[in-house]
């Protein structure tokens, strides 16, 4: 053990520590987004050019440790508090859940990264850089689509604060940003290798990585500028919609108390009558603003319909819905109810992407699932659009705004505005709400469509077609605001799903791995 730590193991430990710290610094509360281009460099150096590799098993462990430590640093603090406060658990089960979630939803997907990247060592410098970036995207794409389907804190998401670089997401989604950042890190690692003494032709070949260091930022900047060119002239479109949002700031512990529900209703109604909201076209309350089965509460629906008519504004309210199956078993949905002035009925959208561990359980918890689980909800049937003054409104409830396929599906149906209803009060402390909001802005960039977000305790804000925040409310305060959003033209790119770039990366990674294995056999 001492020999391993003094030799190859020491290099692996240093690389894991460096990449983990850099990765943690990318996201709120730190937001050091330029580090995205160097965060993968220690890993790339270990896999692609280090002579102090700890071997296949060591590389597997290093990848898993990186994923675990980085995710614990990013989500661990607020996840621990959310578990202890939301579920009322002691520190031990809260810590165990935090460790389990970060291990099964993040760490396992980085296990094969370094051993696979090591296979690329015998390829040319350009193949190594492209292969490493493609492998990185493959790991992220896998964790976004397998098991827990976790898209929290992908590498490319950290580039949101850069309004220039982030625009490239229109072409290839979040995956092209992750690819570019990982490629730049690999190029930096190989450039550093070329400065090390005496490895003959390989040293000179690795100097080709300098081309990537110079070209990638220039291409991203040019791509970002060109991607926004068709829209800049219409940034101040005369087609506008006035969207009023109510941020009630009702704490998670109080939100679900039955005896407090009448007060919650009155609080939302009182805030909705604020003078600042006069003249709105659409009034929005957050997810689960009314934690009741609204479809079964005729009197409350009547009050909401009357409020919509009184204010002369369309009203979108987060509440719950329940139906009975043919066998008589009740099914519950997290829903958004839509009322129009003078209407006699309502429309409803049921949430499709449910929150793991709170609204649904992962498939591998089958033993627990056979027990009664009071928080288990059913998935909705699919996209629904509401119409307000010629605008087609696409509701996205909570986590749905993190997944590009839902926004893409809505945009394909003609959505003019994304409306994200959320309730982030269950992680009252820490950077969770800021992280959640920062990751949703990419839906506006990818689809070139404005988005308004309303959350119970924040972050409530408006985002334009470029991902620029044009207005927001202070977090953890009861407040209201009226956002004026401008309609954006339809993007020429987004008839192709953003996942297409990720699939191309998977194909490229597989092809280069085959080439690397073939070269190893030739040399071996």
């Amino acid at each position: 053990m001492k020999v391993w730590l003094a030799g190859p193991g020491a290099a692996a430990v240093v690389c894991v520590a460096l990449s983990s710290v850099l990765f943690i610094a990318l996201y709120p509360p730190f937001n050091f987004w330029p580090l995205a281009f160097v965060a993968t460099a220690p890993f790339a150096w270990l896999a692609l050019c280090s002579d102090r590799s700890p071997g296949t098993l060591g590389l597997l462990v290093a990848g898993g440790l990186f994923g675990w430590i980085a995710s614990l640093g990013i989500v661990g603090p607020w996840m621990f508090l959310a578990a202890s406060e939301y579920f009322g658990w002691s520190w031990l089960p809260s810590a165990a859940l935090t460790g389990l979630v970060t291990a099964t939803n993040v760490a396992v997907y980085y296990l094969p990264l370094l051993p696979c990247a090591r296979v690329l060592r015998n390829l040319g410098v350009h193949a190594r850089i492209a292969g490493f970036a493609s492998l990185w995207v493959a790991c992220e794409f896998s964790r976004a689509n397998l098991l827990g389907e976790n898209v929290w804190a992908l590498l490319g998401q950290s580039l949101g604060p850069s309004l220039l670089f982030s625009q490239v997401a229109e072409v290839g989604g979040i995956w092209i940003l992750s690819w570019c950042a990982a490629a730049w890190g690999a190029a930096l690692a190989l450039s550093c290798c070329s400065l090390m003494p005496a490895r003959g032709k390989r040293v000179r070949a690795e100097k080709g990585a300098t081309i990537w260091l110079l070209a990638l930022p220039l291409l991203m900047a040019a791509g970002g500028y060109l991607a926004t060119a068709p829209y800049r002239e219409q940034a101040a479109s005369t087609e506008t919609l006035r969207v009023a949002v109510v941020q009630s700031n009702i704490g998670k512990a109080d939100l679900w108390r039955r005896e407090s529900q009448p007060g919650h209703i009155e609080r939302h109604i009182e805030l909705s009558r604020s003078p600042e909201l006069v003249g709105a076209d659409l009034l929005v309350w957050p997810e689960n603003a009314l934690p009741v089965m609204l479809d079964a509460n005729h009197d409350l629906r009547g009050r909401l319909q009357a409020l919509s008519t009184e204010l002369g504004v369309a009203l979108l309210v987060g509440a719950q819905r329940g139906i009975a199956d043919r066998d008589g078993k009740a099914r519950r949905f997290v829903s958004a109810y839509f009322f129009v002035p003078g209407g006699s009925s309502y429309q409803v959208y049921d949430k499709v992407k449910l929150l793991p561990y709170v609204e649904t359980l992962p498939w591998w918890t089958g033993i627990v699932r056979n027990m009664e689980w009071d928080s288990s909800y059913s998935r909705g049937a699919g996209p629904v659009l509401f119409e307000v003054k010629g605008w087609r409104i696409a509701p996205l409830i909570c986590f749905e705004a993190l997944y590009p396929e839902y926004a893409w599906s809505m945009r394909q149906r003609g959505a003019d505005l994304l409306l994200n209803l959320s309730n982030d009060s269950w992680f009252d402390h820490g950077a969770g709400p800021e992280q959640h909001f920062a990751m949703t802005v990419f839906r506006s960039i990818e689809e070139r469509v404005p988005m308004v977000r309303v959350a119970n305790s924040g972050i409530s804000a408006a985002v334009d077609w470029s991902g620029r925040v044009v207005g927001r409310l202070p977090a953890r305060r009861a407040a209201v605001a009226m956002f004026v959003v401008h309609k954006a033209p339809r993007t020429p790119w987004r008839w192709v799903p953003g996942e297409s770039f990720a699939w191309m990366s998977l194909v490229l990674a597989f092809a280069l791995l085959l080439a690397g294995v073939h070269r190893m056999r030739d040399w071996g």
Side-chain angles (χ1 to χ4, degrees), residues 79 338 383 417 482:
M79 184 177 290
F338 182 67
L417 173 67
M482 178 129 72

Side-chain angles (χ1 to χ4, degrees), residues 315-316 336-340 345-349 384-387:
L315 176 62
L316 188 62
Y337 289 77
F338 182 67
F339 303 87
V340 296
S345 61
Y346 61 91
Q347 291 176 266
V348 66
Y349 166 73
V384 174
L385 296 180
F386 306 127
E387 188 164 335

Side-chain angles (χ1 to χ4, degrees), residues 1-7 9-10 13:
M1 182 67 176
K2 291 181 178 179
V3 174
W4 187 83
L5 286 174
V13 168

Side-chain angles (χ1 to χ4, degrees), residues 133-168:
S134 298
L135 285 171
W136 188 278
V137 170
C139 292
E140 290 193 336
F141 192 56
S142 296
R143 75 176 175 100
N145 290 277
L146 301 176
L147 298 179
E149 298 181 347
N150 174 36
V151 294
W152 198 282
L154 303 176
L155 178 59
Q157 289 169 338
S158 64
L159 292 175
S162 171
L163 286 179
L164 184 58
F165 289 155
S166 63
Q167 303 307 312
V168 183

Side-chain angles (χ1 to χ4, degrees), residues 306-323:
L307 179 66
S308 172
T309 301
E310 172 197 339
L311 300 178
V313 58
L315 176 62
L316 188 62
V317 175
Q320 298 188 25
R321 190 170 77 92
I323 63 173

